[in-house]
């Protein structure tokens, strides 16, 4: 079946009235096909097995290699060795590596560690070290702050807000609401469980833009209270979007539908003490040493799950759970 799907495919290049000769496609998958991404993932699935003392994250054609060490020189030595192996793997599998799009970052507790004298190279080409990079749609910095990502979202939402304001005189509130979910909601929602733990100084900027969008859709005054407006439009506030994403994560955790590595992310109360309490099977909410850790979903998740009513926790599936938690929050506006 796969052979008949892939073989005897042709291609040519056309520019205006000029066309190249037709030639055979000897490798690759059909562009834009449904099976294409799946076949590519199967093709590159053995890449992690060629690494030594390093691990990698694969998402389609986006490959990230990472390792840890307390010795900086050993860190560079390990990565350089693994990068050369990966480069050989690419050549053996007829894949190309774009060195110009390849960068690396260093995450370190001690900001005074000197790494300026060390370099990473691929085939004689030096890899650029960066302080910020876009990883699967999220702008990540080496200081583990979300300033750059929120700045990016703020710029995108501001542009979208201008479009909604321009359209409010010709579109109904219902259609403007649809525009909101098309142009603004994705930037607030994507990866929020991770970057939503940023400082209030940063996240408040997005919250203000969201409220401006809600007032624009409902044609309200600039200082109108937005609680009733959110309820009228059946739209969650930014802070509740963050909490609900974490609650979804907790629901999946209790139903063992998370990826394998995340199913062991929490320690349950019964593993901490032997008391026969109602919440002995709930995840343990441990104290954290830093404000950064206190804002993460790992710390907030157990607390949010503890406060969810029992009848909602017992929902049959995630869709039902999501609908009930959203209704519960919107009713409080």
């Amino acid at each position: 079946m796969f052979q008949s799907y892939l073989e005897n495919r042709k291609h040519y290049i056309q520019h205006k009235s000029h066309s190249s000769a037709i030639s055979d496609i000897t490798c690759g998958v059909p562009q834009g096909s449904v099976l294409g991404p799946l076949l590519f993932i199967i093709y590159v699935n053995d890449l992690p097995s060629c690494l030594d003392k390093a691990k990698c994250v694969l998402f389609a054609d986006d490959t990230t290699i990472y390792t840890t060490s307390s010795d900086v020189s050993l860190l560079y030595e390990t990565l350089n060795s693994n990068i050369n192996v990966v480069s050989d793997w690419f050549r053996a599998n007829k894949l190309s590596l774009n060195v110009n799009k390849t960068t690396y970052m260093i995450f370190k507790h001690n900001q005074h560690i000197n790494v300026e004298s060390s370099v990473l190279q691929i085939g004689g080409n030096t890899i650029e070290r960066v302080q910020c990079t876009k990883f699967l749609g999220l702008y990540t910095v080496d200081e583990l702050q979300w300033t750059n990502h929120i700045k990016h979202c703020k710029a995108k939402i501001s542009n979208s807000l201008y479009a909604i304001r321009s359209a409010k005189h010709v579109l109904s509130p219902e259609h403007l609401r649809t525009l909101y979910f098309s142009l603004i909601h994705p930037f607030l929602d994507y990866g929020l469980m991770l970057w939503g733990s940023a400082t209030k100084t940063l996240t408040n900027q997005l919250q203000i833009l969201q409220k401006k969008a809600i007032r624009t859709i409902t044609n309200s005054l600039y200082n109108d209270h937005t609680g009733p407006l959110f309820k009228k439009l059946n739209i969650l506030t930014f802070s509740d979007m963050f909490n609900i994403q974490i609650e979804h994560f907790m629901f999946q955790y209790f139903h063992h539908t998370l990826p394998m590595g995340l199913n062991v992310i929490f320690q349950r109360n019964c593993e901490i003490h032997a008391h026969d309490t109602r919440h002995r099977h709930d995840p343990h909410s441990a104290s954290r040493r830093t404000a950064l850790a206190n804002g993460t979903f790992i710390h907030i998740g157990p607390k949010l799950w503890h406060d969810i009513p029992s009848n909602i926790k017992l929902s049959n599936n995630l869709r039902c759970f999501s609908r009930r938690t959203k209704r519960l929050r919107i009713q409080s506006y």
Side-chain angles (χ1 to χ4, degrees):
M1 181 181 68
F2 283 109
Q3 183 176 352
S4 65
Y5 174 71
L6 294 171
E7 69 181 1
N8 297 326
R9 289 186 176 268
K10 315 282 185 181
H11 71 147
Y12 71 98
I13 298 173
Q14 181 176 340
H15 178 67
K16 295 183 179 179
S17 60
H18 302 282
S19 300
S20 67
I22 298 176
S23 58
D24 295 322
I25 299 178
T26 58
C27 60
V29 293
Q31 292 291 309
S33 64
V34 175
L35 275 177
L38 175 61
L39 292 174
F40 181 83
I41 290 170
I42 294 172
Y43 187 69
V44 301
N45 197 48
D46 66 324
L47 173 58
S49 62
C50 74
L51 299 175
D52 177 39
K53 297 180 181 179
K55 298 180 181 179
C56 71
V57 176
L58 301 176
F59 187 85
D61 62 342
D62 194 309
T63 304
T64 302
I65 301 172
Y66 66 95
T67 188
T68 60
S69 177
S70 57
D71 186 338
V72 175
S73 59
L74 180 61
L75 192 69
Y76 275 91
E77 181 183 337
T78 301
L79 281 177
N80 273 315
S81 173
N82 280 275
I83 287 172
N84 289 328
V85 171
V86 168
S87 181
D88 293 338
W89 184 93
F90 280 139
R91 283 194 295 270
N93 287 274
K94 299 181 180 179
L95 295 172
S96 60
L97 177 67
N98 193 331
V99 180
N100 294 327
K101 289 185 178 180
T102 303
T103 58
Y104 79 96
M105 299 174 65
I106 297 179
F107 303 95
K108 56 185 187 294
H109 292 294
N110 186 355
Q111 299 300 320
H112 301 292
I113 295 177
N114 182 22
V115 295
E116 301 300 328
S117 59
S118 304
V119 295
L120 291 182
Q121 291 185 321
I122 299 178
N125 297 307
T126 301
I127 304 175
E128 179 188 6
R129 181 189 169 194
V130 296
Q131 274 71 49
C132 176
T133 189
K134 191 176 182 181
F135 177 59
L136 301 182
L138 299 178
Y139 286 85
T140 309
V141 298
D142 55 3
E143 295 179 348
L144 296 178
Q145 301 294 330
W146 295 105
T147 308
N148 293 61
H149 183 75
I150 291 176
K151 183 179 179 181
H152 166 76
C153 291
K154 182 181 176 182
K156 292 291 186 179
I157 293 173
S158 296
N159 293 336
S160 300
L161 184 56
Y162 174 79
I164 292 177
R165 282 173 175 165
S166 302
K168 74 175 184 177
H169 302 294
V170 293
L171 295 179
S172 66
E174 182 181 352
H175 290 121
L176 291 174
R177 182 179 182 275
T178 302
L179 274 182
Y180 167 85
F181 279 103
S182 300
L183 302 177
I184 294 179
H185 183 79
F187 293 105
L188 295 175
D189 187 65
Y190 180 71
L192 178 59
M193 192 174 75
L194 297 175
W195 61 266
S197 60
T199 61
K200 293 296 182 183
T201 305
L202 293 173
T203 57
N204 280 345
Q205 300 174 30
L206 299 181
Q207 204 160 3
I208 290 171
L209 289 176
Q210 187 195 32
K211 289 181 178 180
K212 286 182 178 179
I214 297 302
R215 292 189 179 106
T216 301
I217 294 171
T218 56
N219 198 27
S220 303
L221 297 176
Y222 76 95
N223 59 350
D224 280 350
H225 182 52
T226 54
L229 305 181
F230 277 105
K231 188 172 185 178
K232 178 182 178 181
L233 295 173
N234 196 33
I235 292 177
L236 289 166
T237 64
F238 177 80
S239 57
D240 277 344
M241 288 173 62
F242 173 61
N243 290 333
I244 276 187
Q245 277 205 13
I246 298 177
E247 289 170 355
H248 289 178
F249 179 87
M250 298 303 298
F251 182 85
Q252 291 174 294
Y253 167 77
F254 274 95
H255 287 76
H256 308 288
T257 56
L258 290 171
M260 187 179 299
L262 295 177
N263 277 324
V264 294
I265 199 169
F266 296 108
Q267 195 173 16
R268 304 215 179 195
N269 287 326
C270 59
E271 300 172 11
I272 304 296
H273 57 74
H275 305 304
D276 189 17
T277 62
R278 287 182 301 165
H279 302 286
R280 60 186 178 278
H281 296 300
D282 284 357
H284 180 66
S285 181
S287 58
R288 312 289 172 175
R289 290 185 301 170
T290 63
L292 179 65
N294 280 325
T296 62
F297 69 92
I298 297 178
H299 181 72
I300 298 174
K303 294 182 177 180
L304 288 176
W305 182 258
H306 181 272
D307 294 335
I308 297 175
S310 299
N311 64 313
I312 296 180
K313 289 181 182 179
L314 297 174
S315 300
N316 294 327
N317 52 60
L318 180 60
R319 193 174 190 178
C320 178
F321 176 81
S322 175
R323 186 172 61 250
R324 290 177 175 178
T325 50
K326 180 179 179 180
R327 187 190 304 125
L328 181 67
R329 291 187 178 277
I330 287 182
Q331 285 175 350
S332 66
Y333 295 165

